[in-house]
Amino acid sequence: MASCACNFPLMRWLRTREIWLVSLLVAALLVWSGRFFINPDGISYLDLSDDFRAGRFSSVVNGHWSPAYPFLLSLWLGLLSPEPAWEATAVHVLNGLLFVLSMVAFELFLRELRQLQLSQGSQSRWALDLDTPRGRFCAWMIFLWCAWVLVTIRVVTPDMLLAAIVLAAAALIVRIERGAATLVTFATVGALLGIGYLTKSLMFPVSIALLALSMFAQRHRPGALPHHLGAVIVFLVVSLPQIVALSADGNGLRFSDSGRLAYSFKVNRFPRFWTGLPERSGTPLHPIRQIDSYPATFVFASNKPDRTYPIWDEPAVWYRGMTAPFNSRDQLEALKRNAIMAAGIALKVLVPVLIVFLLRERGRRTRIGVLAATSAAVMLAYLFLHTEGRLTGVWLAILAISVLAGVPVDTGTRKGAVARGLIPVIAVISAISLATYVIDQAFTTRLGHGFNARHLQESVAEAITRAGVLPGSKVALVGDESDIYWARLSDVQVSVQIPLQEAKKYWQLSDSARSELNRRIAATGADAVIASWTAPDRPIAGWTQVEGTRYSILPLN
């Protein structure tokens, strides 16, 4: 293809400036197509951002949700002061800006890798030659696929912020590896990793492991040990306030509760509405109350009125007392599930990378550095717990690019030519996947998504207000909690829930039995029942369907 570029100017690899231009346009498209979507995690982060803006700093301390992203949200929303109907759009604009920040960090990462290749000579014999348009294009396609398709701009989580932080730290780790680091470089790495921990708690053990591996790899260089210790000290200084705040509740020294909760739900498979299984999982200290067993109806009202969905806004409180026992059968089943998920996510990139590695030139040293080892370890750790594209996306990008950029190939042999020939294949596969994803996001017919999306959640919120439900009220939810942004928009708290799998039983109750259950729900303080993505087979008196949606409302008072 490089030879074709001489005679046919249009048939060439995109240059970095062109990639930037296209990426910015596509990012704007993705921001607009997902402008009305807020996932349950996003609601929790927005609720915490309200605490920051209101100065309720003690309420910000949360064993599950880390503070950096909600703090950033509070600054952004405080600056824009959007109307409630535009809040979701403003959040997605911020996610788009975080993607741009991750592009800047990725560019720094590529530049440092390129300098490392040049410093070791024979740069044209690396499988992924970052001194060529083809090599840079392939690296960018891997990154963009991981950022857009796996991490995504659409989902309101701190994962894009973490991607920018990790890529910036990765660039500096490469600078350390090539011997060009100063004391400021090490301090900056420590600060970035500390901010990474404040963004996602998993970064605490990952940061310690990364710094330890880097120290071991650089052990023979003068000053390596004190410089790395300096990075560790800066990391701990940045991290310490969060650790102290979490540990001040009398439940022991810890850096997070999210690992225990994730293991309980994803590996042990404890139910979301955990009311206690003393023989296996402990006894709840703040139990979720069940007021009916057919259908199962749970109460989790919070004494904090600013919590939209308390059970998920403060899971470390509601599941306090839950233990996460190791069970070999549970762990093997989780490994199987996660391996299947990871295969679907990563194999289209990792299989060609593995083939390139196997076709490497045996007579030269393969440079698989600290970053590749750390990324592989993080992805492996997720296999034991829970894996998603947004969790592993940035690590997959770093792993694939670090390996390809460190594999020597002999272009004078057939297998070396095959190895180098796989690089454009990886680029094309990634580009096709990107195009497919972008087209799907832009032109989808799914409700609330795409160019022609309606703000369905705003419509539901307006209907709740028209039904006489006042701001600050409590409501009950029948059905799915994945689309409850309407509760935040109407300033109500979901304090009772009949889960989606129990919804059919609710509708099948006799009118008198359902009325009695509704009376008991009202006795908990709920002023209305909202049905989400579920409906009865026939109209029921008192219920009003929100036009054009799969939501219905029953005022209780």
Side-chain angles (χ1 to χ4, degrees), residues 313-325:
D313 270 0
E314 295 185 301
V317 173
W318 288 99
Y319 302 115
R320 186 160 292 159
M322 175 187 281
T323 58

Side-chain angles (χ1 to χ4, degrees), residues 134-431:
R134 179 176 72 168
R136 289 193 296 272
F137 180 81
C138 179
W140 271 101
M141 289 303 101
I142 293 173
F143 162 71
L144 292 174
W145 180 75
C146 291
W148 288 344
V149 181
L150 301 185
V151 178
T152 80
I153 293 174
R154 187 176 74 94
V155 178
V156 181
T157 65
D159 295 289
M160 191 63 78
L161 172 60
L162 184 67
I165 294 168
V166 169
L167 286 167
L172 298 183
I173 291 291
V174 175
R175 184 176 297 177
I176 292 171
E177 187 175 352
R178 65 185 183 87
T182 64
L183 186 58
V184 173
T185 305
F186 285 90
T188 305
V189 169
L192 285 170
L193 294 178
I195 297 171
Y197 160 63
L198 297 179
T199 304
K200 290 291 281 284
S201 59
L202 179 71
M203 284 300 295
F204 189 86
V206 170
S207 298
I208 297 296
L210 179 61
L211 290 172
L213 284 173
S214 179
M215 186 186 301
F216 179 78
Q218 302 294 314
R219 63 191 183 279
H220 298 304
R221 282 190 173 157
L225 179 59
H227 286 170
H228 279 89
L229 288 178
V232 171
I233 291 171
V234 173
F235 165 72
L236 291 176
V237 167
V238 175
S239 305
L240 196 58
Q242 172 74 353
I243 296 172
V244 171
L246 287 177
S247 305
D249 61 3
N251 289 287
L253 181 66
R254 64 196 190 281
F255 64 87
S256 175
D257 291 309
S258 58
R260 173 179 60 85
L261 294 174
Y263 197 90
S264 298
F265 291 128
K266 301 300 183 180
V267 179
N268 297 140
R269 309 289 277 185
F270 293 156
R272 168 68 67 88
F273 299 97
W274 178 69
T275 55
L277 300 168
E279 71 281 2
R280 276 197 73 197
S281 66
T283 302
L285 302 181
H286 192 177
I288 298 166
R289 184 160 61 94
Q290 187 170 351
I291 62 172
D292 196 89
S293 58
Y294 186 91
T297 307
F298 303 95
V299 181
F300 42 84
S302 173
N303 59 3
K304 295 182 179 179
D306 53 310
R307 296 295 181 247
T308 301
Y309 188 52
I311 193 174
W312 200 233
D313 270 0
E314 295 185 301
V317 173
W318 288 99
Y319 302 115
R320 186 160 292 159
M322 175 187 281
T323 58
F326 175 79
N327 180 285
S328 58
R329 183 174 180 179
D330 288 346
Q331 185 64 82
L332 288 173
E333 289 179 355
L335 274 170
K336 180 180 177 181
R337 287 193 308 271
N338 293 331
I340 293 172
M341 176 67 74
I345 293 172
L347 285 190
K348 68 175 64 178
V349 170
L350 289 185
V351 167
V353 170
L354 178 60
I355 294 173
V356 171
F357 179 77
L358 294 175
L359 295 174
R360 69 192 184 279
E361 184 181 350
R362 303 286 178 172
R364 295 180 60 211
R365 177 175 172 265
T366 301
R367 187 182 51 75
I368 305 298
V370 169
L371 290 174
T374 304
S375 300
V378 172
M379 295 180 67
L380 182 62
Y382 274 122
L383 288 181
F384 285 87
L385 188 63
H386 173 65
T387 190
E388 290 181 44
R390 67 181 180 85
L391 301 176
T392 59
V394 66
W395 302 106
L396 176 60
I398 292 174
L399 174 62
I401 293 168
S402 297
V403 171
L404 290 175
V407 170
V409 294
D410 185 355
T411 54
T413 65
R414 178 173 295 180
K415 71 175 186 177
V418 171
R420 289 292 293 272
L422 281 173
I423 300 303
V425 172
I426 296 172
V428 170
I429 290 174
S430 300

Side-chain angles (χ1 to χ4, degrees), residues 84-117:
W86 287 97
E87 181 185 62
T89 302
V91 171
H92 282 89
V93 171
L94 175 62
N95 277 4
L97 293 176
L98 290 177
F99 165 71
V100 175
L101 185 62
S102 73
M103 289 179 66
V104 174
F106 181 71
E107 180 66 34
L108 294 175
F109 174 57
L110 284 192
R111 289 183 182 182
E112 291 296 335
L113 271 181
R114 175 175 173 271
Q115 289 300 318
L116 182 62
Q117 287 184 335

Side-chain angles (χ1 to χ4, degrees), residues 481-526:
E481 69 273 8
S482 65
D483 278 327
I484 57 169
Y485 183 48
W486 48 263
R488 177 175 168 83
L489 290 175
S490 54
D491 192 20
V492 299
Q493 181 182 100
V494 178
S495 61
V496 184
Q497 185 173 358
I498 299 174
L500 184 61
Q501 62 268 27
E502 297 284 325
K504 186 175 182 180
K505 297 176 184 177
Y506 175 80
W507 300 122
Q508 289 175 341
L509 292 172
S510 65
D511 289 345
S512 59
R514 192 182 314 103
S515 295
E516 172 59 21
L517 178 55
N518 291 339
R519 185 194 66 77
R520 296 173 66 190
I521 290 173
T524 69

